Amino acid sequence: WALAALAYLVASLVFTLPMPLHLGTEVWGDRFDAWTTMWLIWMLGEHGWSETTDLIFFPHGYSLWSFGHVALQLVGAPFVALGVSPVAVYNGLLLFAFTATGLAAHALGLRMSGSHWGGLICGTIFAFNPFTYGEMSAGCVEMVGAFFIPLTVLGLVRLSDEPTLKNAGLFAGSLALCGPFNWYYTAFLAMFTVAFWCWRALVPTPNRTRVLALIAAGAFVAALTNLPLITKARQETPER
């Protein structure tokens, strides 16, 4: 796995050229997304977490949850607090997003194929493609970080094969954590989970009842953790 992580990191450096040559001075992205993300990273690093701030839209203030995706920025905030520039942190998060997405898809591919070569094909295609390149160019680092998609699907596959509480926890945890990282991907995963549950309901297996119950329970737990955040995220933009 260490070798795989190194391979995806090197691939990320190549895929994002020439950015790695200007790690602390330039970013990919020609839209406001990159600037708002860097501002949020700076805000969290310099001032810490709070649900609202009056540093923008003073004196009314603004809900940080309304940025829609805050968890990845929170990962970068401690580095800003340590004195690293927001530009360098943003670029570091972009490289992390590519690497983690590749590794997560690699794990799913390994599970499905039984081979690290299968994992490599899966990870490479899922992480390095026109969609992620376009999102990188648009400044949407949270869209590049799609690692919870394959992790949640991996949890479903493992739960389907081995209906244990541990695998149910992997599925529920991945789905729950996806919310603060990316609401769009959470919605996609919710739809996939429903389709996967229906498929398992139609295919007779010895453990079908237990599998269906654990999938439903895991999805319910994930929903309980994310539903309160939806109201917060819609505070400033209720039409979402």
Side-chain angles (χ1 to χ4, degrees):
W1 280 107
L3 184 60
L6 179 61
Y8 287 113
L9 176 58
V10 171
S12 300
L13 292 169
V14 174
F15 194 69
T16 58
L17 282 171
M19 180 273 286
L21 303 177
H22 310 277
L23 199 65
T25 57
E26 298 180 25
V27 300
W28 272 102
D30 57 0
R31 299 196 322 179
F32 64 88
D33 298 78
W35 305 110
T36 54
T37 296
M38 281 189 287
W39 180 87
L40 185 56
I41 293 170
W42 168 84
M43 156 67 194
L44 295 170
E46 291 289 336
H47 300 276
W49 170 255
S50 67
E51 291 198 344
T52 59
T53 179
D54 61 1
L55 293 179
I56 52 176
F57 300 111
F58 181 85
H60 173 69
Y62 192 78
S63 170
L64 296 186
W65 286 111
S66 290
F67 279 90
H69 321 283
V70 296
L72 193 60
Q73 289 85 341
L74 277 169
V75 172
F79 296 96
V80 172
L82 292 172
V84 183
S85 73
V87 172
V89 173
Y90 177 91
N91 286 330
L93 287 176
L94 185 63
L95 294 173
F96 165 77
F98 275 114
T99 304
T101 299
L103 271 176
H106 186 110
L108 177 59
L110 173 62
R111 176 75 183 198
M112 300 304 294
S113 69
S115 164
H116 274 288
W117 288 111
L120 182 64
I121 293 172
C122 185
T124 301
I125 293 175
F126 190 76
F128 309 106
N129 56 69
F131 172 78
T132 54
Y133 189 91
E135 294 299 335
M136 172 182 68
S137 300
C140 300
V141 63
E142 70 280 354
M143 299 299 290
V144 174
F147 37 85
F148 280 116
I149 293 179
L151 284 179
T152 303
V153 175
L154 176 61
L156 279 171
V157 171
R158 291 182 57 174
L159 181 56
S160 181
D161 293 340
E162 305 167 49
T164 64
L165 291 178
K166 178 182 177 180
N167 288 333
L170 171 64
F171 159 63
S174 299
L175 183 57
L177 285 172
C178 189
F181 276 86
N182 195 302
W183 288 114
Y184 303 127
Y185 292 157
T186 304
F188 299 158
L189 284 170
M191 290 184 283
F192 180 85
T193 299
V194 172
F196 190 91
W197 190 94
C198 292
W199 172 64
R200 294 305 299 162
L202 293 173
V203 178
T205 58
N207 296 316
R208 179 170 58 177
T209 301
R210 180 173 175 81
V211 168
L212 295 176
L214 287 176
I215 291 175
F220 180 73
V221 170
L224 285 181
T225 63
N226 278 310
L227 284 176
L229 302 181
I230 295 176
T231 301
K232 296 178 182 295
R234 297 179 68 234
Q235 181 177 335
E236 307 289 350
T237 51
E239 69 277 5
R240 283 186 177 178

